[in-house]
Amino acid sequence: MKLCMIGTGYVGLVSGVCFADLGNEVICVDKDLNKINSLKKGKVPIYEPGLSELAIKNYRNKRLNFSTDLKKSVKDSDIIFICVGTPTKKGGSSADLSQIYNVTNEISSSINRFKIIITKSTVPVTTGDEIEKILSRKNNKKKFSVVSNPEFLREGEAIRDFSYPDRIVIGTNDKKAGKIMKNLYSPLISKGASYLQTSRRAAELIKYASNAFLATKITFINEIANLCEKTGINVEDISIGMGLDKRIGSRFLRAGPAYGGSCFPKDTKAIISTADKFKTNLSVVKSVIKSNENRSKILLDRIYRMLNKKIKNKKITFLGVTFKANTDDMRDSSSLKMIPSLSKKGAIIKYFDPTGYKNEFSKLKNVTNKASIKDAVQSADLVILHTEWNDFKSINFKNLAKGKKFIIFDMRNLYSSSKIKQQGFKYYSVGK
Ligand code: UGA
């Protein structure tokens, strides 16, 4: 099978590389010539552990290629995955589908034999219907089938998530397309992945409902963490106790800073917008968004109290600023709210992130990037563990502090409270 991935962002590139590794012939298309040229030289533009090595291996053995020529690539392929971005519309909350429809129009004039056109991008319910309408303006309906195949990869874990997915969801009522899709995914199904074929609209909604539910789970435990702090309970006991109930499950019950990233914030807004369109009130998701937006304020209030409400000239260090570990992605990271707010109040901020300097803070007063953990924590008054990178798990603060006793605020509950306190530091965590 010849596969064409349109869009070499996160979803397109990871899936393209992984499909090639499963033995398919894959062409990844992007209109950005620089990106395509870099990819051909083995330079992967996103930070994702293991992706670069896998891309180089498959490019060298000619299963993977890159191109800017969408029309030719579509003509040469049997299965076309649309993997372009669906960001939040400027000034609104619904998904901006302009890239999806631009690509659809281009595909439309390149259907030279039967093709399966798949939305892998996260798209609102009925987008597949619209794509089908556009394609049928120029093409006989027998020449194509529009399928929804949502992606459930997590940044930082993408290759593992692709290779060992919990489930593969295929949205189509077309028998021929369904058979081809099942065959494409057979190497993963034979390793144990569940395979679910539904209607196209259901597959589109499964993706949004899943992300909204995971965001709800995180927000729920964050609010329980607030209660634990007031009642002297350890939220980790609650997560374990709840998680042991198989109906609840233990994952995504880690309290921390607000959820961020390129998906949960955007998709929770978009599902509400879709529901509004169909005159349905998703009140739970609405309160999740509100609660998550308020989370940074709650954490900032704790920081003020830790520093006796005197922020001016206080030296505050952030360890990790990305929205989670193993990614360089800053989108909707809670650090983007906390650092500007503390800088505005006169704090002197240093940060260290394993993925380096961040442009997002370049215009802020007294915010500097440090090249090592040691440089970042030296002479600090408060050290905030913001992102749970492995690099931070075994820091010996006593050695780094050189006698100075700073406060440690562990927003990811990474450390053992007793061990840190034994070293003479004041230690705060989340939900304890
Ligand atoms: C998320 C979903 O997990 C993927 O299944 C989905 O494919 C992807 O969005 C997408 O729609 O493309 P991702 O955004 O990479 O993946 O990140 P997650 O690992 O889900 O983390 C999201 C946020 O929740 C992070 O800020 C993380 O720190 C936070 N989180 C996660 C918690 O605070 N607690 C948890 O227990 C888990």
Side-chain angles (χ1 to χ4, degrees), residues 3 15-24 26 81 120 162 184-185:
L3 273 54
S15 321
V17 169
C18 291
F19 273 128
D21 206 54
L22 288 180
N24 299 288
V26 181
F81 285 92
K120 213 171 215 342
F162 182 95
L184 175 68
Y185 278 108

Side-chain angles (χ1 to χ4, degrees), residues 274-391:
T274 302
D276 285 348
K277 199 171 132 194
F278 291 95
K279 304 210 175 353
T280 306
N281 183 16
L282 294 188
S283 63
V284 172
V285 188
K286 281 181 189 163
S287 23
V288 165
I289 294 176
K290 212 164 159 198
S291 173
N292 193 60
E293 283 176 356
N294 197 40
R295 179 105 188 114
S296 306
K297 193 180 163 296
I298 291 176
L299 296 176
L300 280 166
D301 282 347
R302 284 191 72 198
I303 293 172
Y304 301 145
R305 275 183 272 128
M306 282 170 205
L307 295 171
N308 299 320
K309 302 204 168 142
K310 291 184 192 113
I311 303 291
K312 199 164 170 39
N313 295 326
K314 281 279 161 28
K315 293 178 183 136
I316 303 179
T317 296
F318 273 74
L319 292 179
V321 288
T322 53
F323 83 97
K324 66 170 189 178
N326 296 325
T327 176
D328 59 355
D329 200 336
M330 288 294 290
R331 280 176 286 179
D332 272 302
S333 173
S334 55
S335 69
L336 293 174
K337 281 192 182 163
M338 285 191 244
I339 291 183
S341 168
L342 292 166
S343 141
K344 210 168 157 195
K345 290 201 156 53
I348 300 160
I349 295 171
K350 293 181 198 171
Y351 70 92
F352 168 79
D353 191 278
T355 58
Y357 174 81
K358 301 293 168 203
N359 251 329
E360 287 82 353
F361 304 126
S362 61
K363 293 203 174 89
L364 297 181
K365 213 174 151 198
N366 287 328
V367 178
T368 44
N369 170 237
K370 293 289 163 189
S372 69
I373 300 172
K374 190 174 161 204
D375 289 350
V377 302
Q378 252 173 25
S379 74
D381 296 305
L382 168 68
V383 173
I384 296 174
L385 186 285
H386 176 270
T387 315
E388 71 284 22
W389 287 91
N390 276 343
D391 310 48

Side-chain angles (χ1 to χ4, degrees), residues 10-11 122 151-157 161 167 207 210-211 214-215 217-219 221-222 250-267 322-325 327 331-334 386-388 412:
Y10 208 81
V11 170
T122 301
E151 191 49 76
F152 302 104
L153 305 174
R154 285 165 303 162
E155 290 188 21
E157 314 278 345
D161 283 352
R167 80 301 207 187
K207 168 70 190 202
S210 300
N211 273 4
L214 290 170
K217 231 179 151 182
I218 297 165
T219 307
I221 203 66
N222 282 342
S250 59
R251 294 173 74 193
F252 278 65
L253 279 181
R254 260 185 302 109
Y259 65 73
S262 63
C263 304
F264 288 172
K266 151 180 99 70
D267 294 346
T322 53
F323 83 97
K324 66 170 189 178
T327 176
R331 280 176 286 179
D332 272 302
S333 173
S334 55
H386 176 270
T387 315
E388 71 284 22
R412 300 282 184 168

Side-chain angles (χ1 to χ4, degrees), residues 27-45:
I27 179 107
C28 291
V29 181
D30 203 291
K31 58 182 181 194
D32 182 340
L33 178 65
N34 289 334
K35 207 171 175 186
I36 291 299
N37 285 339
S38 305
L39 282 164
K40 284 183 175 173
K41 285 181 198 139
K43 285 187 198 138
V44 169

